[in-house]
Amino acid sequence: MEPQPTEQPSAEHAIETVFRLESPRIIAGVARIVRDIGIAEELAQDALVAALEQWRRDGVPDNPGAWLMATARRRAVDLIRRRENYARKLAEIGRDLETTVPPQEPADPEDIDDDLLRLVFTACHPVLSAEARIALTLRLLGGLTTPEIARAFLVPEPTIAQRIVRAKRTLATKNVAFEVPYGPDREARLDSVLDVIYLIFNEGYAATAGDDWLRPALCEDALRLARVLSSLMPKEPEVHALTSLLEFQASRAAARTGPDGAPVLLKDQNRRRWNRMLIARGIKALGRADATAPKLSASLEQGGPPSGAPGPYALQATIAACHAHAYSYEETDWRTIATLYGLLAARAPSPVVELNRAVAVSMAEGPGPALTIVDTLAAEPALRDYHLLPSVRGDLLARLGRTTEARAEFARAAELTGNARERELLAARARELGGP
């Protein structure tokens, strides 16, 4: 019997991987032409269909991302020519669009990032609800599926699907411009933009689903956007603070997985593998945030956030800086971190923030007081299916010697997570405590 051909599975895997990584850039590049995010997403999907047909037959091209971009852009030009309602937009774009063949790849990488920035600000337009802005941008810029976004939001999948559909429809019917706004309009959209960038980075930093613990491309895109915003808005402390936070978090990337790709917990990480250049950038960005905002020391001295206190990203960046300055897990200033989480909980109340505060309290005061905090969160609807709640509780119970209960919590956490690597880690924790 002749061996079965392997080209088709290989091509399909390449298509899935490349499209997941490149779809945000493709959508952003096409949106510049058609000025409609919904149509841009459809044309990107058309390019994917074309790839499924041609790559299976001819093999994967040397530059698959550029191939997809060129195909989508050509279809965008064809669509503008074909449909009468795009005649006005064609005139605005210019006559040369009719005769110029789209390049195989962008001549200047900065143009791609500019398009991504336009995509974020467009998806964060005030005509959309805050939830819709974030969901839509995670879908378009982050390339996340509806289930992944639902897990990030801790809400049902149908809710996210409806938000995305309605958001694209609203942007189209309101004729929202594909642009980076200026003046008051930019200020109005900034908070949502920062939240979106943060969530995109988090999805790359600890993927909610899939086989990989890290998705570096998402982290890189989010960090690049944060840096662009920092240069664009030098007087905004929270922009610098978010950039600082992402620099600190990205500095740990190399130490967060082992040789086999398995997650490595913070306490077990080899801190010599932390990127000192990124840490230095984080410190510098935090300095810029501090120079343009009320001093964090005032909040720490008063025990709570006064009027105009540092924003949530400044507080989180300062927490990350505490970790970066510690040469080992044991040397970490957990009391300061617990205090900072208390300020963050007062500034931006959230059950997830409280859960993180409990971890810091467990290191500063012991697992008993922390367990009391965690147990108060058990009834929170948003955390009902949140795997980190039983994971944290399992760790606290194990430290208290309540092995049977801890094992059950780790097993439950393993069932709840959608990430294969994290599931293996949590299942292993359960087995270490005598589980099956």
Side-chain angles (χ1 to χ4, degrees), residues 106-368:
D108 184 357
E110 295 296 321
D111 290 340
I112 293 179
D113 289 313
D114 288 343
D115 281 344
L116 289 174
L117 195 59
R118 292 185 183 93
L119 182 61
V120 176
F121 271 98
T122 302
C124 292
H125 196 279
V127 298
L128 303 177
S129 68
E131 294 82 4
R133 297 173 207 171
I134 297 173
L136 179 62
T137 310
L138 283 171
R139 171 67 175 269
L140 300 178
L141 183 75
L144 307 188
T145 64
T146 299
E148 289 171 343
I149 300 172
R151 289 189 64 82
F153 273 119
L154 306 178
V155 296
E157 291 180 26
T159 301
I160 294 298
Q162 291 173 4
R163 286 178 188 173
I164 292 172
V165 170
R166 291 171 182 168
K168 289 190 289 188
R169 185 185 302 128
T170 299
L171 291 176
T173 57
K174 298 290 186 179
N175 293 317
V176 172
F178 184 68
E179 63 182 7
V180 176
Y182 296 91
D185 287 343
R186 181 182 294 171
E187 302 295 330
R189 285 190 245 175
L190 181 58
D191 286 346
S192 290
V193 169
L194 296 180
D195 289 345
V196 165
I197 294 174
Y198 180 58
L199 282 174
I200 292 171
F201 182 90
N202 277 350
E203 181 59 32
Y205 192 70
T208 57
D211 297 328
D212 297 320
W213 175 236
L214 297 177
R215 294 174 60 188
L218 286 181
C219 292
E220 291 168 6
D221 277 336
L223 186 52
R224 173 57 181 160
L225 285 169
R227 290 170 179 168
V228 169
L229 275 179
S230 288
S231 63
L232 196 64
M233 309 179 76
K235 296 182 180 180
E236 289 292 336
E238 280 291 83
V239 173
H240 296 306
L242 175 64
T243 304
S244 172
L245 174 61
L246 301 193
E247 299 280 11
F248 283 132
Q249 298 293 78
S251 73
R252 306 177 198 168
R256 294 189 72 245
T257 56
D260 60 350
V264 178
L265 299 177
L266 179 63
K267 65 184 180 64
D268 299 322
Q269 289 175 18
N270 180 355
R271 301 195 175 204
R272 287 176 295 181
R273 300 191 66 198
W274 286 8
N275 189 314
R276 307 312 300 185
M277 182 190 72
L278 291 179
I279 290 175
R281 293 185 66 125
I283 293 171
K284 187 175 181 180
L286 187 57
R288 288 194 293 266
D290 187 59
T292 54
K295 302 304 180 186
L296 180 61
S297 57
S299 296
L300 292 172
E301 290 171 2
Q302 297 178 30
S307 176
Y313 290 117
L315 291 167
Q316 291 181 74
T318 307
I319 291 170
C322 288
H323 289 294
H325 287 305
Y327 289 102
S328 69
Y329 188 74
E330 292 72 22
E331 294 177 38
T332 305
D333 187 354
W334 289 107
R335 290 193 178 278
T336 295
I337 291 176
T339 300
L340 288 166
Y341 269 120
L343 294 175
L344 182 59
R347 186 74 166 79
S350 160
V352 174
V353 170
E354 277 296 292
L355 186 61
N356 287 327
R357 186 173 76 88
V359 174
V361 168
S362 78
M363 298 303 298
E365 303 177 22

Side-chain angles (χ1 to χ4, degrees), residues 35-54:
R35 306 289 173 173
D36 185 301
I37 287 177
I39 293 175
E41 188 179 19
E42 292 176 4
L43 291 172
Q45 291 290 338
D46 286 347
L48 173 62
V49 172
L52 285 169
E53 296 174 352
Q54 187 165 329

Side-chain angles (χ1 to χ4, degrees), residues 45-75:
Q45 291 290 338
D46 286 347
L48 173 62
V49 172
L52 285 169
E53 296 174 352
Q54 187 165 329
W55 294 6
R56 284 173 176 169
R57 182 182 67 248
D58 302 334
V60 180
D62 293 336
N63 193 335
W67 189 98
L68 287 166
M69 175 70 84
T71 300
R73 285 170 62 90
R74 279 196 294 268
R75 292 182 181 228

